[in-house]
Amino acid sequence: MPDANGQVAILGVGMHPWGKWGRSFVEYGVTAARAALADAGLQWPEIQYVAGADTIRNGYPGYVAGATFAQALGWSGARVSSCYSACASGATAIDIARARILAGLCDVALVIGADTTPKGFFAPVGGDRPDDPDWLRFRLLGATNPTYFGLYARRRMELYGATERDFARVKVKNSRHGATNPNARYQKEVGEDEVLASPVVASPLRLLDICATSDGAAAVVLSSLDFARRRRRRAVKVAAVSTVTPRYPNTVIEMPNFATDSATGVAPPDLAFRDSIAHAAYDEAGVGPDDLDLAEVYDLSTALELDWYENIGLCKEGEAERLLNDGDTTLGGRIPVNPSGGLACFGEAVPAQAIAQVCELTWQLRGEAGGRQVEGAKAGVTVNQGLFGHGSSVVVVR
Amino acid sequence: MPVIEGWFTMDDDRPQLLGSRCSSCGARFFPKAAACRSPQCGQGQLEDVPLSRTGRVWSFTDNRYQPPPPYVASDPFEPYAIAAVELADERMVVLGQLESGVDVTALGVGAEMELTLGTLYEDDEHEYLVWKWRPTGA
C-alpha cells in the first residue's frame, strides 16, 4: 500500500462556470487553468508538466488538448501529454500527472479538461463507420446513452422496488445542493412533482432525471509533497487514482456494447466492474467507505446515482433507496453525496467532469465550499466511468 | 435486406444471431470477435456460431425522443422500445429493439422472449431488417 510517499498535493483548483456559453473549449480551459494557478499561488511558467484531457467532438485541437492549452497560455517549454478515455479522461490526465510527479520526473503539473457540447443527445463521431461499436449502436438499435440509463433504472425498480419518486428525490437533493454553487449551470431548487411532470425520455426516466450536456472546464495544479512544503502551502492530497478495466466476463451491459460477455465457461468476477472501480481506489489509498465524509458520484441519471451508492460501498445492494430516503446522502447527513450538485446541476462536459469532481473535494476538504460545505470533511471519493471500460475514481484526503 | 451483413440469419421463422465460439475454451461473443477475449485463453480459433434464440428479460426501456444520426428515424418519429435479454444457454445479455406493437408496460424482468426479424427502416429501394425481441409465443 502506498504511504504518504504515494501521495501528491493538490495546490490549486479552478473552473470555468458550466452552461451553454457558445465559446471555444480553449477559452474555457484557459480560464479554469488561470484560476487553478492563482489558487496555487504559481505563475504559468513555473509549471513543468501539462496534462490535457481531450475533447473529441470539436476538431483537431481537441485531440491534442495538452498542447492546445499550453499554446493558449503561452509556449513555455513544459513537458506535455494529451489523453482521451471518454468520461474518465480527466481522471486519466490526473493519473498521468500524478505518476510523473511520483516518479520524480517533475515537481509540479497542471491538469486541464474543457469541453463544448451540442444540444440534445450525445451522438457518435460522424461519417459512415460500421466498424465502430459506438456508431453501430445508434445505427442498428437507436440506443442513446439514456437508453442504457433507462435499462439500469428499470432494473432497480424490478429488483429492489425503487419508484419513480425515489429517482425524483435524487434530483431534488442534488438541485438543493447545487443551488448556491457558482460554477453550476442550474442553480435552482427542483421539486419532486416537477421531476415527475417532465416528459419521459427513456422510461422510467424523465427529462429531469437525466443530466444535460454543458460547456465547462476544470483544472487542478498537482505537486510533490516536498514542493508543497517548500512553498509553505497546506494542501489536500490525492491518495489514490483508480483507472481499472473490467474483469472478464463483464456481465453488466454497458455503453456502447450490444452484448455482455458470456458467463459460461469462466465464472463472473467477485467484483463487478462498477464495484471494482472504487474498490481499487480504496485499496490504493488504504481507506474504506466508512472513512469517507463525502462522495462525488457520476449521476448521469438520478437512478444511476443510487447504483453508485452500492458500487462505492455506502450500503449493501438494494439498500440505496433507503439511504437516500433516510437523508444519509443529503448535506447534513451521514455521507453527503454530490454536495456540488453533481451532474444534475452541472451537466456533462466530458473531459472536465472527473477533474471537476476533484475540485469539489478539494474545496470541501479545505472548508471553502460555502453554503454546501460538509462540516469537518477529511476524506472524500469521486467515481466516474469512461465509455469502453475506463474506471475512474479518486480519493482525496486532508 | 439485413441492415448489417453477418450479424444474424435471415430465416423468417426462426432467425438467429451469429456470434463467435472459441475452439479452445468455448467462450462465446456477440457480435463476432476477432480473437478470444478470455484473458486466460486467447489462443483458440474462433468459429461462427448461431446463438440461442430465446432468453429472459434483464431489463427494458422505451425511447420517446428521436435519436441522432446514424439512426434512420421514421417521419414522423415513432418511439420504440429496447430490451436487454439474457440468452438461455450463453448467459449473455443482448440488446435489441422490441417488435413494434409490444406493450412494454406488460413486460417484466424474467419474462421469456424470442428473437424475430423486423423492419428497422425503409428507403425507395429496400426494406432494412434487424433482429428484434418479442414475448415468446406473441
Side-chain angles (χ1 to χ4, degrees):
Chain A
M1 252 350 76
D3 55 14
N5 296 326
Q7 298 182 341
V8 296
I10 303 176
L11 284 191
V13 293
M15 285 192 201
H16 184 288
W18 295 37
K20 291 272 169 108
W21 304 105
R23 294 195 282 272
S24 155
F25 80 96
V26 182
E27 187 177 335
Y28 304 140
V30 167
T31 301
R34 291 199 195 286
L37 286 166
D39 188 39
L42 289 173
Q43 300 298 314
W44 155 244
E46 296 178 271
I47 294 294
Q48 298 162 356
Y49 190 77
V50 185
D54 295 354
T55 174
I56 63 162
R57 283 183 309 285
N58 295 287
Y60 186 63
Y63 289 84
V64 286
T68 301
F69 295 131
Q71 183 188 35
L73 288 160
W75 293 129
S76 67
R79 303 290 177 104
V80 63
S81 66
S82 300
C83 67
Y84 183 72
S85 37
C87 293
S89 298
T92 306
I94 288 173
D95 193 43
I96 294 166
R98 175 186 75 138
R100 192 91 186 171
I101 292 166
L102 291 177
L105 293 171
C106 73
D107 297 314
V108 59
L110 174 63
V111 181
I112 315 171
D115 209 358
T116 62
T117 50
K119 192 173 161 50
F121 292 117
F122 280 140
V125 174
D128 207 27
R129 295 176 309 105
D131 57 350
D132 173 1
D134 198 45
W135 186 89
L136 284 167
R137 60 146 164 155
F138 282 87
R139 181 64 155 200
L140 304 186
L141 288 180
T144 62
N145 294 12
T147 301
Y148 292 80
F149 311 153
L151 293 171
Y152 303 144
R154 174 68 62 188
R155 183 135 173 113
R156 276 208 80 82
M157 295 175 87
E158 297 255 333
L159 259 56
Y160 311 129
T163 65
E164 291 182 32
R165 197 163 281 279
D166 289 326
F167 301 155
R169 286 186 189 122
V170 174
K171 176 72 172 191
V172 171
K173 170 185 74 72
N174 288 348
S175 75
R176 195 186 312 126
H177 289 179
T180 59
N181 189 337
N183 289 307
R185 177 177 179 191
Y186 301 104
Q187 300 173 37
K188 174 177 163 290
E189 290 199 35
V190 173
E192 266 175 55
D193 291 338
E194 200 176 335
V195 180
L196 293 170
S198 65
V200 172
V201 175
S203 68
L205 297 175
R206 297 168 182 278
L207 197 59
L208 292 182
D209 284 305
I210 295 169
C211 85
T213 58
S214 287
D215 298 355
V220 300
V221 176
L222 301 179
S223 81
S224 65
L225 298 187
D226 273 349
F227 184 93
R229 267 191 293 272
R230 286 202 301 275
R231 295 298 174 115
R232 301 180 185 281
R233 303 291 292 192
R234 283 178 59 87
V236 301
K237 296 173 277 283
V238 173
V241 183
S242 157
T243 55
V244 291
T245 62
R247 286 188 170 83
Y248 179 87
N250 187 12
T251 57
V252 176
I253 188 77
E254 273 168 19
M255 295 187 289
N257 297 330
F258 287 84
T260 63
D261 294 329
S262 166
T264 59
V266 179
D270 292 340
L271 287 174
F273 179 40
R274 272 193 228 139
D275 297 328
S276 73
I277 296 170
H279 193 269
Y282 294 151
D283 255 9
E284 191 170 277
V287 305
D290 293 343
D291 303 314
L292 301 175
D293 301 295
L294 74 159
E296 284 281 315
V297 309
Y298 202 45
D299 58 323
L300 291 169
S301 84
T302 51
L304 193 64
E305 175 169 318
L306 298 171
D307 284 344
W308 281 118
Y309 292 177
E310 298 165 8
N311 299 138
I312 68 173
L314 301 187
C315 63
K316 294 198 183 77
E317 196 176 310
E319 294 182 353
E321 287 77 15
R322 205 184 70 196
L323 204 68
L324 172 78
N325 290 321
D326 286 354
D328 286 15
T329 58
T330 304
L331 271 174
R334 178 169 70 77
I335 171 81
V337 175
N338 287 332
S340 70
L343 297 177
C345 295
F346 276 72
E348 279 192 276
V350 170
Q353 52 215 25
I355 301 172
Q357 291 178 317
V358 172
C359 291
E360 177 65 13
L361 290 195
T362 302
W363 283 316
Q364 290 283 352
L365 269 53
R366 289 174 177 174
E368 295 174 355
R372 61 182 197 281
Q373 180 65 45
V374 177
E375 290 307 319
K378 291 189 177 65
V381 69
T382 74
V383 69
N384 179 317
Q385 182 184 352
L387 197 75
F388 287 103
H390 273 274
S392 162
S393 177
V394 180
V395 174
V396 180
V397 298
R398 200 153 77 180
Chain B
M1 64 184 296
V3 69
I4 188 167
E5 288 290 341
W7 283 40
F8 52 92
T9 67
M10 290 291 282
D11 179 341
D12 276 343
D13 293 331
R14 298 178 59 79
Q16 285 182 286
L17 297 171
L18 296 171
S20 304
R21 182 182 179 281
C22 174
S23 63
S24 177
C25 73
R28 279 168 281 191
F29 305 96
F30 178 78
K32 294 171 191 170
C36 181
R37 293 200 300 260
S38 172
Q40 270 72 44
C41 178
Q43 53 192 330
Q45 297 296 310
L46 290 187
E47 53 193 4
D48 293 355
V49 286
L51 303 179
S52 307
R53 46 182 315 284
T54 59
R56 289 180 182 277
V57 170
W58 185 86
S59 193
F60 57 97
T61 183
D62 59 341
N63 282 351
R64 305 277 182 89
Y65 281 66
Q66 182 173 323
Y71 189 72
V72 182
S74 55
D75 184 18
F77 171 67
E78 282 171 36
Y80 52 89
I82 285 186
V85 174
E86 184 166 15
L87 302 185
D89 294 336
E90 292 81 358
R91 293 180 60 199
M92 170 194 290
V93 173
V94 180
L95 296 183
Q97 286 194 356
L98 278 159
E99 195 172 76
S100 64
V102 173
D103 175 13
V104 283
T105 59
L107 282 184
V109 166
E112 276 195 50
M113 305 293 280
E114 66 179 346
L115 203 75
T116 181
L117 292 182
T119 303
L120 185 64
Y121 66 96
E122 296 176 65
D123 61 21
D124 292 343
E125 291 171 24
H126 298 289
E127 179 183 5
Y128 294 89
L129 298 180
V130 74
W131 77 91
K132 296 194 179 190
W133 292 112
R134 69 177 173 201
T136 301

